[in-house]
Amino acid sequence: MKKYNFNAGPSMLPHGVVEATAAAVLDYNGMGLSFMELSHRSPEFKLVLDEARSLIKELLDVPGGYEVLLLGGGASMHFCMVPYNFLVRKAAYLNTGVWASKAMKEATLFGEVVEVASSADKNFSYIPKNFDIPADADYLHVTSNNTVYGTQLHADIDSPVPLVADMSSDIFSRPVDVSKYACIYGGAQKNLAQSGLSFVIVKESALGMTGRAIPSILDYKVHAEAGSLFNTPPTLPVYTALRNLRWIKEQGGVAEMERRARLRADVLYSEIDRNPMFRATVEGDDRSFMNIDFVMASGYEELEQTFAEYAAERGLVAIKGHRIAGGFRASCYNAMPHEGVEALAECMKDFSKR
Ligand SMILES: *Cc1c(COP(=O)(O)O)cnc(C)c1O
């Protein structure tokens, strides 16, 4: 049976990317060595790392004056690295859910933290608008896509202070105006590669400004000056990232990824809105194109487990919601084929007919 993987992360990758990684593990480019066995200082790895970093610049049209880093660790590591590297006195955070709150918590270790707005009042089911940003904040931190609650900032906001974004779960799913940001970061395991790797796009002129002593491994400036080779990066995930970035480029780049993501999201939200058995937890423009959250509509709550099993029997994997949010979540990253969401919509239709 064909399976569609709706995991939220680590998540689905294009099959060809998985195959290429598997082949490189067994024998990289006919060298008789596994890619895992190559030195991170070898010319072969250097080529892979350089191409991956330059493809990130190309795909996102990164302007001059920015460094691209591929580092070990996850997005959570940057929850601490961001304030370590940018917070002098005060930082502003937009609280749109679990990940934003975790980022904010780390920042309190480094200085004053202002919550500019929060959507906690409605269980993070929307993105706050029209909030004030303190002009004296060292930066404003936003989470572009809220993986757990299924909300997304579909445009790059204007900020009077340097803008920092956690783009873990929607990077490479749409064009980004990188020039609006001082720093973009995320974990690789949602839309770039397997876990163990993180990405950073950082404005060089924003680095080295805090006057604070920073442990080398947590200092973006150290990593930038070392060309992302200060220490050993997770080499195999860098290879997977390169193959995935090549795939995105071949498919038509991030604009094409966005077009497909909108179509996929449209199929699912339309069915959820139409089908009386289901209800979306997010309304309107804040709906994520990456993580589509829904619950059983009122009166049908007791069918949740039955629907979960029904979907699993049809090869629709991992549609259960986050343990905090409950209900269902269909994560549809770049690799999700259109047939995957059609199969899920069909499954919801058939379930309601039973
Ligand atoms: C998954 C996720 C994280 C956490 O990533 P780790 O790599 O596990 O630290 C942080 N932010 C967002 C938006 C995420 O989706």
Side-chain angles (χ1 to χ4, degrees):
M1 174 175 50
K2 179 137 181 68
K3 289 200 172 178
Y4 293 106
N5 179 359
F6 291 93
N7 260 309
S11 44
M12 184 180 182
L13 288 165
H15 191 63
V17 170
V18 175
E19 277 179 339
T21 302
V25 166
L26 294 175
D27 180 3
Y28 184 60
N29 272 358
M31 291 172 79
L33 297 172
S34 168
F35 194 84
M36 298 190 297
E37 301 169 327
L38 298 181
S39 165
H40 63 298
R41 307 276 171 207
S42 66
E44 290 83 6
F45 181 72
K46 188 84 179 30
L47 277 175
V48 166
L49 180 65
D50 288 348
E51 189 186 338
R53 290 166 74 215
S54 69
L55 270 175
I56 290 174
K57 287 190 171 172
E58 183 184 332
L59 288 168
L60 293 178
D61 208 3
V62 177
Y66 282 81
E67 272 288 337
V68 172
L69 310 175
L70 290 170
L71 309 177
S76 305
M77 187 179 71
H78 300 284
F79 293 169
C80 120
M81 282 176 83
V82 162
Y84 226 145
N85 284 265
F86 302 118
L87 204 172
V88 181
R89 212 179 63 75
K90 184 196 274 188
Y93 278 73
L94 177 62
N95 188 0
T96 49
V98 180
W99 299 119
S101 314
K102 289 192 177 183
M104 197 158 47
K105 175 166 178 273
E106 298 306 299
T108 60
L109 298 172
F110 298 88
E112 189 190 336
V113 172
V114 178
E115 184 184 80
V116 291
S118 165
S119 45
D121 60 335
K122 290 186 181 153
N123 199 28
F124 299 112
S125 60
Y126 69 104
I127 306 257
K129 317 268 171 352
N130 305 318
F131 45 84
D132 289 323
I133 302 165
D136 59 345
D138 297 313
Y139 61 84
L140 168 69
H141 180 282
V142 298
T143 311
S144 57
N145 182 69
N146 297 284
T147 325
V148 174
Y149 296 98
T151 62
Q152 188 175 15
L153 267 167
H154 293 290
D156 306 297
I157 64 173
D158 291 307
S159 166
V161 301
L163 186 59
V164 176
D166 173 359
M167 293 199 185
S168 291
S169 52
D170 66 352
I171 192 78
F172 306 117
S173 73
R174 67 169 176 93
V176 174
D177 182 355
V178 175
S179 71
K180 287 192 169 180
Y181 297 86
C183 180
I184 294 169
Y185 69 86
Q189 71 272 23
K190 314 283 164 63
N191 218 2
L192 180 60
Q194 67 273 55
S195 59
L197 183 70
S198 67
F199 60 87
V200 185
I201 304 168
V202 63
K203 200 174 195 167
E204 283 159 42
S205 62
L207 296 176
M209 306 295 277
T210 62
R212 167 190 291 131
I214 304 175
S216 308
I217 189 76
L218 299 177
D219 190 343
Y220 289 133
K221 201 171 164 62
V222 168
H223 289 289
E225 283 168 2
S228 211
L229 275 175
F230 166 69
N231 72 321
T232 319
T235 55
L236 189 63
V238 172
Y239 183 70
T240 304
L242 168 64
R243 297 302 300 236
N244 195 26
L245 291 161
R246 282 188 190 161
W247 178 84
I248 295 169
K249 184 177 171 178
E250 281 160 21
Q251 300 296 307
V254 292
E256 173 63 14
M257 293 299 118
E258 180 177 35
R259 193 187 68 81
R260 294 182 190 179
R262 280 176 185 272
L263 288 176
R264 284 192 301 262
D266 192 44
V267 167
L268 286 183
Y269 287 123
S270 300
E271 176 56 23
I272 295 164
D273 290 344
R274 184 206 64 79
N275 193 321
M277 273 198 178
F278 299 96
R279 179 175 63 78
T281 53
V282 178
E283 290 299 330
D285 294 343
D286 297 336
R287 287 178 166 182
S288 171
F289 299 155
M290 299 281 102
N291 310 98
I292 288 130
D293 284 26
F294 57 100
V295 291
M296 301 306 300
S298 110
Y300 298 104
E301 290 94 344
E302 76 285 359
L303 291 175
E304 180 168 319
Q305 189 53 31
T306 318
F307 178 68
E309 284 160 17
Y310 186 75
E313 278 163 21
R314 291 177 162 223
L316 305 171
V317 179
I319 59 162
K320 228 173 139 47
H322 188 279
R323 63 196 147 83
I324 303 171
F328 299 100
R329 169 175 57 178
S331 296
C332 306
Y333 300 115
N334 287 346
M336 177 58 65
H338 196 75
E339 307 85 74
V341 294
E342 282 184 331
L344 178 52
E346 201 57 40
C347 170
M348 295 165 93
K349 262 194 202 92
D350 293 348
F351 186 74
S352 65
K353 280 192 213 131
R354 285 190 336 159

